Structures are given as structure tokens and as C-alpha cells.
Amino acid sequence: MTPENRPDQSLVAGIDLGGTQIKMGLVDQEGHVIVNGRFDTAREAGPEGFIQKAVDKLQRMTEKLGLQVDALEGIGIGIPGPVDFDSGIVDSCMNLPGWNGFPLKTALESRLGLSVAVDNDANNITLGEWLYGAAKGAHSAVCVTLGTGVGAGLILNGTLYRGSSGAAGEFGHTPIAFTGPKTASGVAGNLEAFIGNSRIVARAKDKVRKKGLSVTLQRLTAGNLDNLTPEHLSEAAALGDPLALEVWAEIGFFLGVGLAGLINLLNPDCIVLAGGVAGASKFFLPETKRTIDKRAMGVAAECAKIVMGKLKGQAGVVGSAALWRLHGDGSKGE
């Protein structure tokens, strides 16, 4: 996009920090991504390496619009872990070594001279869907992110709820069983250990070892079970593969158990499903809804409409920009 046809609106940089990839975008007041970019997460470089790459990328993106970085209103960032929102200090990032305790807000503000807001990535995605997407106008909503990890953001009575220490919304660490596989935290029986990306694949591999590799999965994985991904299972399910359909039904059941407890506890207007795994919803959602109907209180279950996120692959970027819009300049709030 050239400067001549750039929307005449203030732009905020949204940054979504992931375990393997970092997405960035310049976002206008309507939640539209005007220009975007991405780069691999150099885990070994730590937070200082991230800052250098982020600054370089921001310079290139603003240059495309004929701007300098200091023309931006501010920067919002999503972190895959708990954050002290007021200070912008990263509490912990299990998938990113070297980040625990890092003062990201202060470090980036000092480097760029711009206002920075930092929060948990699921909180940001929730804000994005609430301001611009599937949860727009909801009084109370939950946005569940399904991917490598399982998180959630909570809008309660029109306000994002972070909890007393900023760690609210760790839906994936909700225990749904007394025993079972362990999450990255080392705790057994938590929801993420049943429906996180790695466990979806592990569940499928266990079934293949017992029943054999189907013709469909044989073709999709080039005959190598080590290549198996959730995307392969979605493709196989779309082709009617019984094993893949069985895996997704089981994932739907476990998710339904977790959501039933959440519905009974919070009584939200709607539940938004976001993240990569949500793309397979047509294969697991029917079982999720059946499980909720059986396990959630009737009046609460009837109120909680389950919808798919509208922001898709831009959810983290748009949500991070939404975070700054609401908080970054110190004058706005939900």
C-alpha cells in the first residue's frame, strides 16, 4: 500500500509472540491490518534478540507506508504466558527460555520512545474478538485459544478479567482428570494434556499403532508417522477417514468437559473458539456440544452460544493492537 491510499487513521503496531513464529502488523482504528510481516522466533537469542528483530521489522513496515516508526500511536504485544500487566514484566514463558522476569514494556519503550502495552496472548485475542470480531457487544464472553497450548481470555461484566496476579484464563491448566498425561508444567490430568496439538497427534499415533495406518493417512504423511500433524488429521477427517474422525470426536469430548465446567462457573453470553485447532471445529464441535448439554447446567448452557473466532490468523496481531487502544495511552479502558 502506498502513502497516497493509506487510510487517514492512527496506526498501532500489534505483535504476537509465539513459540516458533512472531507475527506483526500495523492496525487501524477499525481493526484492519494495513501491512503485516512475520519472522521466526529465535529462541536462543532471548528477549534482547526479539527486540532487535522487532525494531528492524517495524522500520521496514512503516517505510512501506512512507512513515517513520515514531509516527505510530503505540505498540501492543501478546506473550504466551502470564504477564504483570501494570509493569509489563513477563512472569513466565515455558516455551521461551530466558524470558522469565524480563521487563519487556520498559525495554521496548526505552528503545523506541513509544508507549507499549504487554499482556497474555489469549487476553489480547479476546480483546480483539470482543472489539472487532465474534464477541462484539457481549456482556460476558470467553475466548478459548486452541493450539500448541490451550488458553482463554475472560470478559466479565464488560471488563477483561486478569485475576489478582495476572494469571487468570489458563484454561489449559484446568484439571479434568485425577490422572493422565502431563502438560509442560509437569501436572497430570490438565485439559491441555488432552487437547493440545502434541496430544492430538500422540492420541492419533496410539490408535495407528493399534489399528494400522489408513490409506488416507499413509498418503498424507508419505508413509512416515513422524510427519503426522493436526492438519493431516483434519484433511483425513474431511475425506471420511474413520481413525481421524474418531480422534476429533474424542478431542471434542474432552473440550466439552472443560467448557461445561467453565459455563457452570462463569455463565458467559458466548464462547469464542480461536487458534489453529479451531479450524477443525466441524469435526469436533458436535461432540463438544453434546458433552456440554450432558454436563452443564441447562440455563447456563442455553445462554452460552459457541461461535468461531472471526479474526482467524490475524487474531493475535489485531488483539495486541486492541490492547494498546484500550490501555496503552493511559487514558482509555474497557
Side-chain angles (χ1 to χ4, degrees):
M1 179 174 292
T2 64
E4 290 76 19
N5 59 19
R6 179 176 60 83
D8 186 19
Q9 296 186 16
S10 66
L11 297 176
V12 171
I15 303 177
D16 182 28
L17 175 61
T20 58
Q21 199 170 69
I22 295 165
K23 297 180 180 179
M24 300 176 63
L26 304 184
V27 185
D28 70 14
Q29 291 173 318
E30 302 301 319
H32 302 130
V33 179
I34 304 304
V35 60
N36 59 20
R38 64 180 65 195
F39 56 89
D40 291 337
T41 304
R43 293 161 55 90
E44 68 285 351
E48 294 293 352
F50 158 76
I51 288 177
Q52 183 59 55
K53 279 196 169 185
V55 169
D56 292 343
K57 197 70 171 179
L58 281 174
Q59 289 174 339
R60 290 196 292 272
M61 288 195 298
T62 51
E63 284 172 0
K64 288 182 179 179
L65 302 177
L67 301 172
Q68 299 295 320
V69 173
D70 60 9
L72 299 174
E73 295 290 318
I75 301 171
I77 304 178
I79 300 293
V83 174
D84 183 305
F85 174 72
D86 291 328
S87 67
I89 294 175
V90 179
D91 178 33
S92 63
C93 270
M94 285 182 286
N95 295 321
L96 294 173
W99 281 79
N100 294 6
F102 184 74
L104 181 56
K105 172 181 168 67
T106 300
L108 199 52
E109 285 182 340
S110 299
R111 181 69 181 271
L112 290 175
L114 292 171
S115 170
V116 175
V118 185
D119 205 350
N120 171 266
D121 54 0
N123 283 348
N124 291 358
I125 290 172
T126 300
L127 287 176
E129 292 288 353
W130 185 54
L131 285 180
Y132 306 117
K136 188 172 183 178
H139 183 62
S140 295
V142 178
C143 182
V144 176
T145 56
L146 303 171
T148 302
V150 177
L154 313 174
I155 300 290
L156 303 180
N157 297 325
T159 301
L160 180 68
Y161 180 73
R162 294 185 174 88
S164 60
S165 62
E170 292 293 338
F171 184 48
H173 296 284
T174 302
I176 64 167
F178 291 112
T179 60
K182 295 181 179 180
T183 60
S185 65
V187 178
N190 287 353
L191 180 62
E192 188 174 296
F194 289 87
I195 66 171
N197 271 354
S198 62
R199 290 307 308 171
I200 294 173
V201 171
R203 179 171 296 275
K205 287 181 177 179
D206 286 344
K207 292 183 181 297
V208 168
R209 292 186 186 102
K210 295 174 183 177
K211 301 179 180 182
L213 194 61
S214 67
V215 174
T216 301
L217 286 174
Q218 172 96 16
R219 177 175 56 81
L220 292 173
T221 62
N224 185 350
L225 195 57
D226 292 336
N227 294 333
L228 186 65
T229 66
E231 290 76 18
H232 290 140
L233 290 169
S234 292
E235 291 182 57
L239 295 170
D241 184 78
L243 187 148
L245 290 168
E246 183 179 327
V247 169
W248 285 121
E250 291 175 1
I251 298 307
F253 167 74
F254 294 125
L255 177 60
V257 170
L259 289 181
L262 189 151
I263 288 168
N264 287 341
L265 181 66
L266 300 178
N267 188 200
D269 299 332
C270 71
I271 295 173
V272 180
L273 299 184
V277 171
S281 62
K282 64 180 176 181
F283 306 121
F284 66 74
L285 194 55
E287 185 60 35
T288 297
K289 290 181 176 179
R290 278 191 289 270
T291 304
I292 289 172
D293 289 342
K294 292 177 182 177
R295 293 173 176 258
M297 295 177 62
V299 64
E302 290 172 10
C303 178
K305 181 172 64 173
I306 299 178
V307 296
M308 295 300 108
K310 290 185 177 179
L311 302 180
K312 306 299 181 183
Q314 299 284 16
V317 168
V318 174
S320 294
L323 169 73
W324 191 90
R325 295 278 183 200
L326 290 168
H327 296 290
D329 64 0
S331 66
K332 299 178 183 179
E334 286 105 331

